[in-house]
Amino acid sequence: MDINAVKQAIRDVPDFPKPGILFKDITTAIKNPEIVSFLSKHIADYYRNKGINKVAGIESRGFIFGSILALQLNAGFIPVRKPGKLPAETLKKTYSLEYGEDAVEIHKDAINPGDIVLLHDDLLATGGTALAALELLQELGAKKVYTNFLIELEFLKGIERLKEYTEVYSLIKY
Ligand code: AMP
């Protein structure tokens, strides 16, 4: 198993969820146990010995490997969710999309000052979602935030918005 084999297993779905978007569907890859095991070990090895004590996953595909990585790194797991889903007091960050805006929320007590956090999502596109999540983590007092994606769509240059604030590692690039 290698990164190229994982790349081959990711399915392209044209015009989902709307016309013009080429959706990178990871379900075809992660139904294979060897891929789940390879990806979780590869990413966890990359981040071991960095003092990470919390992994924050972005709803909803970021929850899949976010929780596996938390287990592998002996870290806690924090959900970063769409508005209105978290039950207790939250902090919210709104960000703009091509048309309109969206937002993410986090529980106010999710982070303790000094936490070293790994922020994870399945895919980096324009970077708006990850940047909003990163700002929430920083506002709550995270000491350092590393950011990981399974997939980066390089042509959208999301990295340019993130690299000033966080070290980014993406496994598969298009
Ligand atoms: P962005 O905020 O533009 O970086 O978008 C990132 C979020 O949208 C991630 O949670 C992705 O799962 C999702 N996303 C954006 N574009 C795609 C795509 N082409 N294929 C799959 N997911 C995508």
Side-chain angles (χ1 to χ4, degrees), residues 123-153:
L123 183 142
L124 170 62
T126 66
T129 314
L131 184 61
L134 176 66
E135 285 170 353
L136 290 175
L137 294 167
Q138 285 174 335
E139 275 173 40
L140 290 178
K143 181 172 154 195
K144 186 168 175 82
V145 182
Y146 295 95
T147 305
N148 166 253
F149 303 96
L150 301 177
I151 304 167
E152 177 177 341
L153 302 182

Tab-separated table of all heavy atoms in Angstrom, residues 123-153:
chain	number	residue	atom	x	y	z
A	123	LEU	N	-10.396	17.290	3.028
A	123	LEU	CA	-9.966	17.954	1.789
A	123	LEU	C	-9.806	19.458	1.972
A	123	LEU	O	-10.638	20.106	2.600
A	123	LEU	CB	-11.026	17.655	0.723
A	123	LEU	CG	-10.778	18.179	-0.687
A	123	LEU	CD1	-11.256	17.148	-1.719
A	123	LEU	CD2	-11.474	19.508	-0.942
A	124	LEU	N	-8.719	19.996	1.408
A	124	LEU	CA	-8.495	21.450	1.371
A	124	LEU	C	-8.858	21.945	-0.025
A	124	LEU	O	-8.243	21.539	-1.014
A	124	LEU	CB	-7.025	21.759	1.677
A	124	LEU	CG	-6.561	23.202	1.456
A	124	LEU	CD1	-7.307	24.182	2.373
A	124	LEU	CD2	-5.053	23.335	1.677
A	125	ALA	N	-9.858	22.824	-0.081
A	125	ALA	CA	-10.227	23.446	-1.361
A	125	ALA	C	-9.775	24.905	-1.294
A	125	ALA	O	-8.580	25.182	-1.418
A	125	ALA	CB	-11.718	23.261	-1.626
A	126	THR	N	-10.683	25.847	-1.013
A	126	THR	CA	-10.280	27.265	-0.948
A	126	THR	C	-9.647	27.626	0.397
A	126	THR	O	-9.064	28.699	0.541
A	126	THR	CB	-11.490	28.183	-1.151
A	126	THR	OG1	-12.379	28.012	-0.044
A	126	THR	CG2	-12.216	27.875	-2.449
A	127	GLY	N	-9.840	26.766	1.390
A	127	GLY	CA	-9.243	27.016	2.702
A	127	GLY	C	-10.140	27.781	3.664
A	127	GLY	O	-9.786	27.965	4.821
A	128	GLY	N	-11.309	28.202	3.208
A	128	GLY	CA	-12.197	29.002	4.067
A	128	GLY	C	-12.634	28.266	5.319
A	128	GLY	O	-12.620	28.824	6.425
A	129	THR	N	-13.005	27.009	5.161
A	129	THR	CA	-13.492	26.227	6.302
A	129	THR	C	-12.374	26.014	7.319
A	129	THR	O	-12.562	26.227	8.522
A	129	THR	CB	-13.991	24.833	5.822
A	129	THR	OG1	-14.804	25.003	4.661
A	129	THR	CG2	-14.776	24.130	6.891
A	130	ALA	N	-11.218	25.595	6.826
A	130	ALA	CA	-10.107	25.310	7.741
A	130	ALA	C	-9.628	26.584	8.435
A	130	ALA	O	-9.300	26.553	9.628
A	130	ALA	CB	-8.962	24.654	6.978
A	131	LEU	N	-9.597	27.689	7.706
A	131	LEU	CA	-9.156	28.945	8.320
A	131	LEU	C	-10.111	29.361	9.445
A	131	LEU	O	-9.670	29.773	10.522
A	131	LEU	CB	-9.053	30.058	7.261
A	131	LEU	CG	-8.515	31.389	7.747
A	131	LEU	CD1	-7.094	31.253	8.293
A	131	LEU	CD2	-8.533	32.431	6.628
A	132	ALA	N	-11.406	29.217	9.219
A	132	ALA	CA	-12.393	29.554	10.259
A	132	ALA	C	-12.187	28.651	11.478
A	132	ALA	O	-12.183	29.122	12.622
A	132	ALA	CB	-13.806	29.414	9.702
A	133	ALA	N	-11.984	27.357	11.244
A	133	ALA	CA	-11.766	26.411	12.351
A	133	ALA	C	-10.486	26.768	13.109
A	133	ALA	O	-10.446	26.759	14.340
A	133	ALA	CB	-11.690	24.989	11.811
A	134	LEU	N	-9.456	27.105	12.365
A	134	LEU	CA	-8.174	27.486	12.957
A	134	LEU	C	-8.324	28.727	13.841
A	134	LEU	O	-7.786	28.793	14.949
A	134	LEU	CB	-7.193	27.753	11.810
A	134	LEU	CG	-5.807	28.246	12.130
A	134	LEU	CD1	-5.035	27.169	12.872
A	134	LEU	CD2	-5.072	28.592	10.842
A	135	GLU	N	-9.079	29.697	13.362
A	135	GLU	CA	-9.301	30.921	14.147
A	135	GLU	C	-10.032	30.609	15.450
A	135	GLU	O	-9.715	31.168	16.498
A	135	GLU	CB	-10.078	31.945	13.308
A	135	GLU	CG	-9.180	32.593	12.262
A	135	GLU	CD	-9.926	33.446	11.246
A	135	GLU	OE1	-11.177	33.452	11.243
A	135	GLU	OE2	-9.249	34.105	10.438
A	136	LEU	N	-10.991	29.696	15.387
A	136	LEU	CA	-11.705	29.306	16.617
A	136	LEU	C	-10.735	28.687	17.619
A	136	LEU	O	-10.755	29.026	18.803
A	136	LEU	CB	-12.810	28.299	16.291
A	136	LEU	CG	-14.021	28.828	15.515
A	136	LEU	CD1	-14.953	27.666	15.170
A	136	LEU	CD2	-14.779	29.883	16.313
A	137	LEU	N	-9.879	27.794	17.138
A	137	LEU	CA	-8.916	27.119	18.030
A	137	LEU	C	-7.964	28.128	18.650
A	137	LEU	O	-7.646	28.063	19.848
A	137	LEU	CB	-8.136	26.054	17.248
A	137	LEU	CG	-8.959	24.863	16.741
A	137	LEU	CD1	-8.165	24.042	15.733
A	137	LEU	CD2	-9.413	23.987	17.907
A	138	GLN	N	-7.524	29.095	17.830
A	138	GLN	CA	-6.584	30.101	18.338
A	138	GLN	C	-7.264	31.029	19.345
A	138	GLN	O	-6.686	31.365	20.377
A	138	GLN	CB	-5.984	30.887	17.177
A	138	GLN	CG	-4.944	30.043	16.449
A	138	GLN	CD	-4.405	30.682	15.186
A	138	GLN	OE1	-5.072	31.507	14.573
A	138	GLN	NE2	-3.207	30.295	14.785
A	139	GLU	N	-8.515	31.425	19.056
A	139	GLU	CA	-9.239	32.304	19.991
A	139	GLU	C	-9.451	31.635	21.339
A	139	GLU	O	-9.514	32.299	22.370
A	139	GLU	CB	-10.591	32.720	19.401
A	139	GLU	CG	-10.453	33.929	18.494
A	139	GLU	CD	-11.734	34.279	17.762
A	139	GLU	OE1	-12.821	34.202	18.372
A	139	GLU	OE2	-11.634	34.627	16.566
A	140	LEU	N	-9.574	30.312	21.326
A	140	LEU	CA	-9.786	29.591	22.592
A	140	LEU	C	-8.478	29.305	23.325
A	140	LEU	O	-8.485	28.705	24.388
A	140	LEU	CB	-10.542	28.289	22.342
A	140	LEU	CG	-12.012	28.450	21.947
A	140	LEU	CD1	-12.646	27.092	21.688
A	140	LEU	CD2	-12.798	29.180	23.029
A	141	GLY	N	-7.355	29.703	22.733
A	141	GLY	CA	-6.092	29.621	23.469
A	141	GLY	C	-5.162	28.490	23.094
A	141	GLY	O	-4.213	28.200	23.835
A	142	ALA	N	-5.419	27.825	21.966
A	142	ALA	CA	-4.486	26.772	21.549
A	142	ALA	C	-3.097	27.375	21.388
A	142	ALA	O	-2.931	28.459	20.834
A	142	ALA	CB	-4.942	26.137	20.234
A	143	LYS	N	-2.080	26.651	21.883
A	143	LYS	CA	-0.708	27.156	21.838
A	143	LYS	C	-0.154	27.011	20.429
A	143	LYS	O	0.581	27.873	19.932
A	143	LYS	CB	0.123	26.328	22.832
A	143	LYS	CG	1.556	26.716	22.959
A	143	LYS	CD	2.148	25.921	24.117
A	143	LYS	CE	3.636	25.741	23.966
A	143	LYS	NZ	4.125	24.685	24.868
A	144	LYS	N	-0.482	25.891	19.788
A	144	LYS	CA	-0.019	25.637	18.425
A	144	LYS	C	-1.045	24.756	17.731
A	144	LYS	O	-1.650	23.894	18.359
A	144	LYS	CB	1.341	24.913	18.478
A	144	LYS	CG	1.975	24.744	17.110
A	144	LYS	CD	3.429	24.308	17.232
A	144	LYS	CE	4.031	24.020	15.879
A	144	LYS	NZ	4.496	25.175	15.148
A	145	VAL	N	-1.247	25.030	16.434
A	145	VAL	CA	-2.173	24.202	15.656
A	145	VAL	C	-1.462	23.702	14.402
A	145	VAL	O	-0.950	24.493	13.605
A	145	VAL	CB	-3.446	24.993	15.241
A	145	VAL	CG1	-4.408	24.070	14.479
A	145	VAL	CG2	-4.145	25.610	16.443
A	146	TYR	N	-1.392	22.374	14.256
A	146	TYR	CA	-0.940	21.749	13.008
A	146	TYR	C	-2.182	21.427	12.196
A	146	TYR	O	-3.245	21.169	12.779
A	146	TYR	CB	-0.207	20.439	13.301
A	146	TYR	CG	1.080	20.582	14.073
A	146	TYR	CD1	1.103	20.441	15.460
A	146	TYR	CD2	2.269	20.841	13.423
A	146	TYR	CE1	2.283	20.562	16.179
A	146	TYR	CE2	3.463	20.960	14.130
A	146	TYR	CZ	3.453	20.822	15.500
A	146	TYR	OH	4.627	20.930	16.209
A	147	THR	N	-2.057	21.434	10.872
A	147	THR	CA	-3.242	21.158	10.048
A	147	THR	C	-2.950	20.078	9.024
A	147	THR	O	-1.925	20.138	8.334
A	147	THR	CB	-3.717	22.450	9.352
A	147	THR	OG1	-3.925	23.447	10.348
A	147	THR	CG2	-5.019	22.225	8.605
A	148	ASN	N	-3.864	19.113	8.945
A	148	ASN	CA	-3.681	17.980	8.023
A	148	ASN	C	-4.928	17.744	7.177
A	148	ASN	O	-6.054	17.803	7.668
A	148	ASN	CB	-3.384	16.717	8.844
A	148	ASN	CG	-3.525	15.459	8.015
A	148	ASN	OD1	-4.489	14.711	8.178
A	148	ASN	ND2	-2.607	15.234	7.099
A	149	PHE	N	-4.692	17.474	5.903
A	149	PHE	CA	-5.762	17.070	4.984
A	149	PHE	C	-5.335	15.781	4.300
A	149	PHE	O	-4.142	15.582	4.025
A	149	PHE	CB	-5.978	18.138	3.904
A	149	PHE	CG	-6.303	19.490	4.459
A	149	PHE	CD1	-5.293	20.443	4.636
A	149	PHE	CD2	-7.598	19.820	4.816
A	149	PHE	CE1	-5.583	21.688	5.169
A	149	PHE	CE2	-7.896	21.067	5.352
A	149	PHE	CZ	-6.886	22.007	5.523
A	150	LEU	N	-6.317	14.931	3.970
A	150	LEU	CA	-6.005	13.775	3.136
A	150	LEU	C	-5.702	14.273	1.722
A	150	LEU	O	-4.778	13.795	1.074
A	150	LEU	CB	-7.183	12.802	3.084
A	150	LEU	CG	-7.671	12.214	4.414
A	150	LEU	CD1	-8.884	11.326	4.177
A	150	LEU	CD2	-6.552	11.427	5.078
A	151	ILE	N	-6.497	15.236	1.267
A	151	ILE	CA	-6.425	15.701	-0.126
A	151	ILE	C	-6.308	17.221	-0.165
A	151	ILE	O	-6.999	17.919	0.579
A	151	ILE	CB	-7.715	15.303	-0.879
A	151	ILE	CG1	-7.941	13.787	-0.795
A	151	ILE	CG2	-7.699	15.789	-2.324
A	151	ILE	CD1	-9.336	13.341	-1.243
A	152	GLU	N	-5.441	17.705	-1.068
A	152	GLU	CA	-5.353	19.162	-1.293
A	152	GLU	C	-5.583	19.441	-2.784
A	152	GLU	O	-4.910	18.848	-3.632
A	152	GLU	CB	-3.959	19.655	-0.878
A	152	GLU	CG	-3.742	21.130	-1.138
A	152	GLU	CD	-2.365	21.613	-0.650
A	152	GLU	OE1	-1.738	20.936	0.194
A	152	GLU	OE2	-1.929	22.661	-1.140
A	153	LEU	N	-6.532	20.317	-3.077
A	153	LEU	CA	-6.749	20.739	-4.466
A	153	LEU	C	-5.854	21.964	-4.683
A	153	LEU	O	-6.243	23.095	-4.388
A	153	LEU	CB	-8.228	21.076	-4.714
A	153	LEU	CG	-9.236	19.953	-4.434
A	153	LEU	CD1	-10.657	20.399	-4.765
A	153	LEU	CD2	-8.875	18.684	-5.200
